[in-house]
Amino acid sequence: MSAAAFDTSGDPVLDRRLDWARAFLAEADFAAAAELLAETVEAAPNFAAAWFLLGEAREGQGEGEAAREAYGRALALDPADRLGAGLRRARLGGAPEGAEGVMSAAYVRTLFDQYADRFDTALREKLAYRGPELLLEAVRAACDALGRELRFGAALDLGCGTGLAGVLFAPLVERLDGVDLSPAMLEKARALGLYAALEAGEMGAALGAMPAGGLDLVIAADALCYVGDLVPLFHAARAALASGGLFAFTLETHEGEGVLLRETLRYAHAEAYVRALAQDVGLDVVLLERASTRSEKSVPVPCLVGVLAKAAGGEVR
């Protein structure tokens, strides 16, 4: 789609209304925002960003169906879904089977490209983030339980971001590669000089491109919360792992069953879902424990830290 339809209406006066609407939304004045945005989309019906914000305003007013309609208009104007309109519609319920409700690569890329410059500071100082540290502790404990050395040959860092996990794991591996959807985040990781190769792409595709049995360690620090259906990723991880290789990850969890799309637009996976999936794909659960990698509004987010192993002598399937 054209930049005008997504980022701007083409009219500076209408564009300024978005800033006013955002201010109303920040103050929870949803009625004022909705009125302003309804006028904006009437004047500029192809203005995707205005439709998206109108969805937020209608949702804030408790008008679920009107919000779904506005998000739907935004999604139709931006099929790549850089704003996450499909996720918003899914959260409001009634989403049809298919792609809607799946987190788009364009949404994740846009989110983290905008976030890259302040990512580390925001996570560490504002959210008390400690995902990489928990992941390293888990891998160390798993190695102790398996009676193996805390050393690996080839490793892949899924959703590597700026390289926060890479800093801790690089000394333990002979070769560390990374993959992330955000080019801006990868530039930060590249500056560390820790990664042998960095790829801008989707995690599952990167795993699938690996030679069968070519990896000794796969890590994913707070990356799986951006994937709803973990089945393809777990299958790809098992295929990419060498005999005895480890797949270590953190993810958000909840007390119910299956997969939940949280209000933060991140996925939470139930512990039973993860255990059953590991068994289905043929990975042994070495460690799967409750933890919290971050806080939101000073409340710890419920998470799981897990280490799965491909049994020695296990065939790729």
Side-chain angles (χ1 to χ4, degrees):
M1 67 180 299
S2 67
F6 179 74
D7 297 318
T8 174
S9 66
D11 182 338
V13 174
L14 292 178
D15 289 352
R16 281 197 293 273
R17 290 185 180 181
L18 250 65
D19 293 329
W20 302 337
R22 289 190 181 99
F24 285 136
L25 289 171
E27 296 172 358
D29 191 346
F30 301 115
E35 181 179 359
L36 182 61
L37 289 162
E39 294 172 357
T40 302
V41 297
E42 182 177 2
N46 293 326
F47 195 1
W51 280 110
F52 181 84
L53 290 180
L54 179 58
E56 287 192 338
R58 296 299 191 205
E59 188 175 354
Q61 290 179 296
E63 299 177 7
E65 190 54 40
R68 277 181 50 79
E69 181 180 352
Y71 289 137
R73 292 293 296 270
L75 186 59
L77 289 165
D78 176 30
D81 199 15
R82 286 168 282 184
L83 292 170
L87 289 174
R88 297 278 188 156
R89 279 172 60 87
R91 278 197 59 252
L92 290 171
E97 294 295 325
E100 185 175 305
V102 175
M103 193 172 297
S104 74
Y107 167 72
V108 177
R109 185 180 303 112
T110 300
L111 176 68
F112 286 101
D113 276 351
Q114 295 174 344
Y115 198 20
D117 285 340
R118 63 186 191 279
F119 181 77
D120 291 7
T121 300
L123 279 182
R124 294 298 199 186
E125 297 182 7
K126 296 182 179 180
L127 302 180
Y129 177 63
R130 59 192 189 108
E133 290 78 11
L134 287 175
L135 199 60
L136 178 57
E137 291 173 13
V139 171
R140 180 178 287 112
C143 287
D144 288 344
L146 293 169
R148 62 167 292 171
E149 185 182 4
L150 186 63
R151 293 290 305 174
F152 303 90
L156 179 62
D157 186 356
L158 300 177
C160 64
T162 59
L164 290 175
V167 170
L168 298 182
F169 281 90
L172 308 178
V173 303
E174 295 177 13
R175 177 188 172 97
L176 178 63
D177 294 338
V179 59
D180 198 279
L181 280 167
S182 167
M185 300 286 272
L186 288 175
E187 285 303 309
K188 301 290 185 181
R190 187 169 289 110
L192 298 174
L194 299 174
Y195 293 89
L198 288 164
E199 175 188 350
E202 191 267 327
M203 295 184 290
L207 273 173
M210 289 288 167
L215 294 173
D216 302 294
L217 175 67
V218 176
I219 61 173
D222 275 27
L224 302 189
C225 58
Y226 299 101
V227 182
D229 181 7
L230 293 177
V231 173
L233 190 71
F234 272 47
H235 274 290
R238 187 188 187 281
L241 283 171
S243 176
L246 302 183
F247 177 26
F249 54 84
T250 63
L251 50 74
E252 296 184 19
T253 193
H254 64 105
E255 296 298 329
E257 299 180 357
V259 183
L260 172 70
L261 180 60
R262 299 179 62 222
E263 291 184 1
T264 56
L265 299 187
R266 293 194 300 272
Y267 294 105
H269 301 83
E271 181 178 348
Y273 170 92
V274 178
R275 289 188 180 276
L277 178 53
Q279 181 177 4
D280 288 345
V281 304
L283 291 169
D284 296 332
V285 176
V286 183
L287 179 150
L288 189 62
E289 297 178 346
R290 295 297 178 108
S292 180
T293 64
R294 62 196 287 165
S295 295
E296 291 173 358
K297 299 179 180 179
S298 300
V299 177
V301 176
C303 298
L304 293 171
V305 56
V307 182
L308 312 181
K310 182 174 178 179
E315 296 179 358
V316 176
R317 64 182 184 184

